[in-house]
Amino acid sequence: MTVVSVDKDVEALSLTVVAEFDADVKRVWRIWEDPRQLERWWGPPTWPATFETHEFTAGGKAAYYMTGPDGTKARGWWQFTTINAPDHLEFDDGFADEQGAPVDELGVTHATVRLEPVGDRTRMTLTSTFESEEQMQKMAEMGMEEGLQEAIGQIDSLLAEPANA
């Protein structure tokens, strides 16, 4: 299985998912950089993502929605804070309304992604940091941990295809 560990640290207000892939760092980087590839794995299989905006630069924004089995759309946004190709990116992450404007009820999380070579494989460490224990609990109740694991579980098949697919 792709995901090798999941660590919830309530004191640090963080959730860290570590996964390993049979691909080099530059190839794994492309699944973040290319919105069409990102759409194929971001979100659990039953809630696929569509990225309407993906400005992959520090200060850039992404806007997306995930479509549920019944057609419901859950919208989100990212604000990229750090892009250091090909091994480190960070972004603020939040929910959005139907027009794509940020909503505050669930706050903002901060995601840090690090890619590192492990032999001929790549280890991806994705850490989400929360504003409060309450926010962390709400996100857990919404299935964030399971959703991330399911989403990341889709990456292997994507990486098995040619890089420009």
Side-chain angles (χ1 to χ4, degrees), residues 6 16 46 63 82 97 100-101 119 123-124 144:
V6 178
T16 301
T46 58
T82 304
D97 64 19
R123 176 176 295 137
M124 179 175 79
M144 180 179 182

Short mmCIF file of all heavy atoms in Angstrom, two decimals, residues 6 16 46 63 82 97 100-101 119 123-124 144:
data_model
loop_
_atom_site.label_atom_id
_atom_site.label_comp_id
_atom_site.label_asym_id
_atom_site.label_seq_id
_atom_site.Cartn_x
_atom_site.Cartn_y
_atom_site.Cartn_z
N VAL A 6 0.46 7.16 9.29
CA VAL A 6 -0.40 8.30 9.57
C VAL A 6 -0.19 8.64 11.04
O VAL A 6 -0.26 7.76 11.89
CB VAL A 6 -1.89 7.97 9.31
CG1 VAL A 6 -2.77 9.16 9.66
CG2 VAL A 6 -2.11 7.54 7.86
N THR A 16 -0.03 14.01 9.90
CA THR A 16 1.02 13.74 8.93
C THR A 16 0.78 12.39 8.28
O THR A 16 0.60 11.39 8.97
CB THR A 16 2.41 13.75 9.61
OG1 THR A 16 2.62 15.04 10.20
CG2 THR A 16 3.52 13.48 8.60
N THR A 46 -14.65 8.56 -4.54
CA THR A 46 -16.07 8.88 -4.70
C THR A 46 -16.33 10.39 -4.71
O THR A 46 -17.48 10.82 -4.89
CB THR A 46 -16.90 8.23 -3.57
OG1 THR A 46 -16.41 8.68 -2.31
CG2 THR A 46 -16.84 6.71 -3.66
N ALA A 63 -8.28 26.98 -7.05
CA ALA A 63 -9.70 26.86 -6.69
C ALA A 63 -10.19 25.56 -7.29
O ALA A 63 -9.89 25.25 -8.45
CB ALA A 63 -10.50 28.04 -7.25
N THR A 82 4.80 28.49 -0.48
CA THR A 82 6.17 28.09 -0.81
C THR A 82 6.13 27.09 -1.95
O THR A 82 5.38 26.12 -1.89
CB THR A 82 6.86 27.43 0.41
OG1 THR A 82 6.82 28.32 1.51
CG2 THR A 82 8.30 27.06 0.10
N ASP A 97 -17.39 28.93 -0.71
CA ASP A 97 -18.82 28.89 -1.02
C ASP A 97 -19.02 28.61 -2.51
O ASP A 97 -18.06 28.36 -3.24
CB ASP A 97 -19.50 30.19 -0.58
CG ASP A 97 -19.02 31.42 -1.33
OD1 ASP A 97 -18.43 31.30 -2.43
OD2 ASP A 97 -19.25 32.53 -0.81
N GLY A 100 -16.89 30.37 -4.86
CA GLY A 100 -15.45 30.17 -4.68
C GLY A 100 -14.82 31.06 -3.63
O GLY A 100 -13.62 31.01 -3.42
N ALA A 101 -15.62 31.88 -2.94
CA ALA A 101 -15.09 32.75 -1.89
C ALA A 101 -14.83 31.94 -0.62
O ALA A 101 -15.64 31.07 -0.27
CB ALA A 101 -16.07 33.88 -1.59
N GLY A 119 16.19 5.47 -2.13
CA GLY A 119 16.64 4.55 -3.18
C GLY A 119 16.09 5.03 -4.50
O GLY A 119 16.22 6.20 -4.85
N ARG A 123 9.63 9.23 -1.16
CA ARG A 123 8.79 9.34 0.04
C ARG A 123 8.15 10.73 0.02
O ARG A 123 8.83 11.75 -0.12
CB ARG A 123 9.61 9.18 1.31
CG ARG A 123 8.76 9.40 2.58
CD ARG A 123 9.54 9.13 3.85
NE ARG A 123 9.89 7.72 3.88
CZ ARG A 123 11.09 7.26 4.24
NH1 ARG A 123 12.06 8.08 4.57
NH2 ARG A 123 11.32 5.96 4.25
N MET A 124 6.83 10.77 0.15
CA MET A 124 6.09 12.02 0.25
C MET A 124 5.56 12.14 1.66
O MET A 124 4.87 11.24 2.14
CB MET A 124 4.93 12.05 -0.75
CG MET A 124 4.10 13.33 -0.67
SD MET A 124 2.82 13.43 -1.95
CE MET A 124 1.55 12.35 -1.26
N MET A 144 -11.35 13.58 7.22
CA MET A 144 -10.15 14.06 6.56
C MET A 144 -9.06 12.98 6.46
O MET A 144 -8.46 12.80 5.41
CB MET A 144 -9.60 15.29 7.27
CG MET A 144 -8.35 15.85 6.66
SD MET A 144 -7.79 17.30 7.55
CE MET A 144 -6.38 17.76 6.56
#
